[in-house]
Amino acid sequence: MFSTCCLDEPLNDCQEHSSAMDGLEEFLADCRVLPLSVRKRFLDRRHSRQSSGELSDPSPSPTTTAPMDANGETGGTDQSREKQLSQSSLRSSVEESIDRVGVQQAIDAEAEMEKAHLKYYRLEVHLKEGRDLAVRDWSGSSDPYVKFKLEGKVVYKSRIIYQNLNPQWDETFHVPVRNIDQRMSLSVWDYDMVNDDPMGRAKIDLSSLEPNILMEKRVNLEETNSTENLGYLMMDMTLVAVSEDELQNISSRRKQQSTAKRASIRASKSQLWTSVATITLLEGRNLISMDDNGLSDPYVKFKLAGEKFKSKVETKTLNPKWMEQFDLKIYDEQSLLLEMSVWDKDVGKDDIMGRGEVDLSTLDPEKTHFLQVELEDNAGLIDLLLTISGTSGAESISDLMSFVDDPNRERELIRRYSIKNSLMDVKDVGWLQVKVIKAQNLASADIGGKSDPFCVVELVNSRLQTQTQYKTLNPEWGKVFTFQVKDCHTALEVTVYDEDKHGSPEFLGKCAIPLLNIKNGEKRFYALKDKKLQGRAKGSILLEMEFIYNDIKAAIRTVNPREEKYLEQEPKFKIALLQKNLQRVTSMVGSIIEVGRFINSCFQWESKPRTITAFISFLIIVWNFELYMLPVAVLIIFIWKYVELSITDKYSRPQEEEVYADSDDEYEEADDSKLAVVLYSMRRDREGQAVKPKEAKTSLSEKLHTIERVCQTIQNKLDDVACLGERIKNTFNFTVPWLTWFAILILSVATVILYLIPLRYLILAWGINKFTKKLRKPHAIPNNELLDFLSRVPSDAELKKWQELRPELSRADTPKKKK
């Protein structure tokens, strides 16, 4: 190939062709086909010759003109003609070589461009299976899944395979790679309800993969400072060369998928649902045993896209009867696959008993289906009723600026919830409209003294939210939300968060508003509280609400089971909370003891006038007693409390508000530290003793966990007893006038019925209803109407949460703690 050296050698060696070479040098200096570095040599030579005067013509001809003779013809000696031929031949040779140089340089340049264009890759991974993986569960198995990381970021996470040490994933994914001189790390984890346990990790050198060739890899798992055999993974990997444009398309598609996934999660929380899947979990049959006694403690988890539900636990049975009803909302563009998993409740980690699926797209809407779901691996059957109802969501979101009150809509709402339509769609109790206008004087959550607040409005399990207002403590959202109300005895919860792009939102404030306390059309500020709704938080929010409901539908709903909030967690064990619940129960028991002492004092003649009065009353009541007098006696108590409250309210002073009252967190933290000291001392004493072989079966952590669970159960049972007593008290105290007047109405009707109808007919009707209820309604959920009614009456703790505080419109921004 023609190069710079082959140009220099002829010019240096062929001294006999100096004149030809002079012309050739000028030709090469002007030849633009050659690289600039080569042309520069001849340009320098031309410049030096011009400076020395050897070359007068700056643009000489590459050929030499022969001298003419006397006749005017071209003449010259043979030597001059030989030089001319030599110069022409050499010039042709150089031109041919230059042509070859140009073509080769073009080919090399094109190859370099193609190489630069295809220096990016797409890594295709087919995760096939794992073999002989490590045991991480007490059942002798694991629930493995795999995470893949590239450049410090998780690029893929596989699904969880439950109770399997040789899982078959058969999953494929691809990821863009900009630099193959790096390693992809993978880690296998055992899924746990609390913390996932590591099962091994490995690294794959991408430079060891040959481009465009499928390579099967056996990846051995290992852990640092561990000699345990952790098994291995089998996978296929292919490194495909792609252009930069293709790489950008892959990256953009992955971003779009990630954005769509986040959007679907936000949609399940803040957007509109299209229909509702009403599920009645009936019973399970022939479940597998997971405990040593040959039984299990089963419960069921349901998942429909982002909607989840967890049933109650039925202890020591293989044929549980749950009889629970709940709703899961269905949104646009989401999966219609209802996933079910049955778990065995255990002291440590719960064990899975079986899995099942129901495809909702195969079911007819507006029709109740009786389904028998078979669990995988013949793990049993689950019976349930499923109904898909509602063609569009009852909730809606609109902007306040474009919102216009429609008189026709108001007339339609009044007609829908009128008395004459009370028996139509009994579940549709009422309609609620909430206008979230603005907030002011919020707490600053960002470094610059500002926040990025957004507002979430929740009604039991319905959740809508506003847009985010950035860099402000006085946001103006201007949103209008509407809800379908199923129970008028619930509370609307309004929570303000600060958006964090790199983490979960930060809590700013919250308030709870009972629906029966809403004054239609009133625009007012509500003070924000802390997370537990006990003390004041910084800021207030301006709301305007309208609530329309049907009283008869509300009354029917009152004596039916209350809708549970799915996201509400069971209170954890706290010494301070246990002491508080114990004090509540002690106070209630003390009141009962005082009544007993009063009755006993009548028998002991401690006060003769009181004893004589009680004795005469006893004789008169017993001699003239009729059954209808029982509700009359309760009505007399209601009347007495009503008169008492009417008198005392005129002279009672409103309670002073607690300004930035400290919550119980500090006390709970102190109590938790005391508990930690106790547990540490128990552990130290345990370690100081000799461990017997039989005792080694149960570890210390299991015992401590059992103690904590027992204490938590006692704490929650005390809370249930205290709440029941407080609800009975608040019923007589007219705490919720609607419920108290409803109780008075029921007692009045009962009095009339007992007075007009003989007792034997009533007992006969009650017995017939009980004996035939299972035949008439085989899948009816059993309930106690009295307890359902009392569940609507707020306890003292709920009244504390619902207590309204005066908004701070003109106070200083700095909060003052109560000493």
Side-chain angles (χ1 to χ4, degrees), residues 766-786:
W766 175 82
I768 293 174
N769 175 66
K770 286 296 183 181
F771 278 105
T772 61
K773 186 174 182 179
K774 189 66 176 178
L775 300 177
R776 292 182 286 109
K777 299 179 180 179
H779 304 303
I781 298 176
N783 67 305
N784 187 300
E785 288 78 6
L786 178 59

Side-chain angles (χ1 to χ4, degrees), residues 637-649 734:
I637 298 176
F638 275 110
I639 296 172
W640 174 59
K641 293 296 295 184
Y642 179 76
V643 174
E644 180 185 358
L645 292 173
S646 300
I647 296 174
T648 56
D649 285 346
F734 285 80

Side-chain angles (χ1 to χ4, degrees), residues 281-284 298 300 311-312 314 320-324 382:
L281 176 60
L282 301 176
E283 60 182 353
V300 187
S311 74
K312 62 183 178 181
E314 292 292 325
K321 297 183 182 297
W322 289 285
M323 305 302 291
E324 292 185 81
I382 299 295

Side-chain angles (χ1 to χ4, degrees), residues 487 489-490 557-564 723-724 727-728 731 736 739 783-795 798 802:
D487 192 346
H489 306 295
T490 56
R557 183 62 182 163
T558 302
V559 293
N560 280 278
R562 185 176 186 177
E563 182 182 5
E564 298 293 335
C723 287
L724 180 61
R727 289 189 170 106
I728 295 174
T731 302
V736 181
L739 289 171
N783 67 305
N784 187 300
E785 288 78 6
L786 178 59
L787 293 180
D788 290 335
F789 168 81
L790 290 175
S791 67
R792 272 34 178 230
V793 182
S795 62
E798 289 176 322
W802 295 352

Side-chain angles (χ1 to χ4, degrees), residues 49-73:
R49 291 176 60 191
Q50 288 177 351
S51 300
S52 61
E54 297 179 6
L55 185 63
S56 58
D57 187 4
S59 302
S61 173
T63 59
T64 303
T65 305
M68 293 185 180
D69 56 10
N71 299 326
E73 297 179 356

Side-chain angles (χ1 to χ4, degrees), residues 538 660 811-816:
K538 199 171 188 302
Y660 292 98
R811 284 191 186 181
D813 293 336
T814 304
K816 298 179 181 180

Side-chain angles (χ1 to χ4, degrees), residues 317-504:
T317 178
L318 299 181
N319 298 283
K321 297 183 182 297
W322 289 285
M323 305 302 291
E324 292 185 81
Q325 188 178 60
F326 57 94
D327 294 337
L328 298 179
K329 294 182 175 60
I330 301 175
Y331 299 85
D332 282 330
E333 300 180 358
Q334 78 167 37
S335 173
L336 294 179
L337 189 65
L338 176 64
E339 301 177 14
M340 302 167 47
S341 57
V342 184
W343 296 77
D344 172 58
K345 188 69 175 179
D346 209 341
V347 175
K349 181 181 177 182
D350 296 348
D351 302 321
I352 190 166
M353 301 172 61
R355 298 170 61 86
E357 295 178 346
V358 177
D359 189 359
L360 301 187
S361 62
T362 61
L363 303 179
D364 296 331
E366 307 298 339
K367 181 181 179 181
T368 301
H369 303 269
F370 176 72
L371 303 177
Q372 293 180 331
V373 183
E374 296 185 4
L375 302 179
E376 296 177 353
D377 301 327
N378 297 322
L381 294 173
I382 299 295
D383 294 342
L384 53 88
L385 299 176
L386 196 151
T387 306
I388 301 176
S389 59
T391 56
S392 61
E395 288 90 356
S396 66
I397 305 175
S398 59
D399 290 324
L400 187 60
M401 297 295 294
S402 59
F403 179 78
V404 178
D405 287 325
D406 186 3
N408 296 326
R409 176 186 58 83
E410 186 174 356
R411 285 193 296 268
E412 173 62 24
L413 289 173
I414 294 175
R415 185 197 63 80
R416 185 196 305 177
Y417 299 108
S418 61
I419 299 297
K420 65 180 181 179
N421 294 325
S422 298
L423 300 180
M424 297 177 59
D425 195 3
V426 179
K427 291 185 178 181
D428 186 11
V429 174
W431 174 86
L432 173 66
Q433 181 185 81
V434 183
K435 296 180 181 179
V436 183
I437 303 173
K438 64 179 181 179
Q440 62 182 16
N441 301 328
L442 297 178
S444 60
D446 298 338
I447 299 178
K450 299 292 184 179
S451 296
D452 304 325
F454 65 93
C455 179
V456 176
V457 183
E458 296 177 273
L459 184 64
V460 193
N461 294 307
S462 298
R463 185 181 190 273
L464 300 173
Q465 75 179 47
T466 68
Q467 76 281 8
T468 302
Q469 296 289 332
Y470 295 96
K471 303 299 180 183
T472 179
L473 300 181
N474 302 286
E476 295 186 3
W477 293 293
K479 286 292 183 180
V480 181
F481 302 135
T482 60
F483 296 90
Q484 180 186 17
V485 179
K486 300 178 182 178
D487 192 346
C488 67
H489 306 295
T490 56
L492 180 74
E493 294 184 356
V494 182
T495 312
V496 181
Y497 294 95
D498 171 69
E499 182 181 298
D500 191 352
K501 296 181 179 179
H502 306 289
S504 58

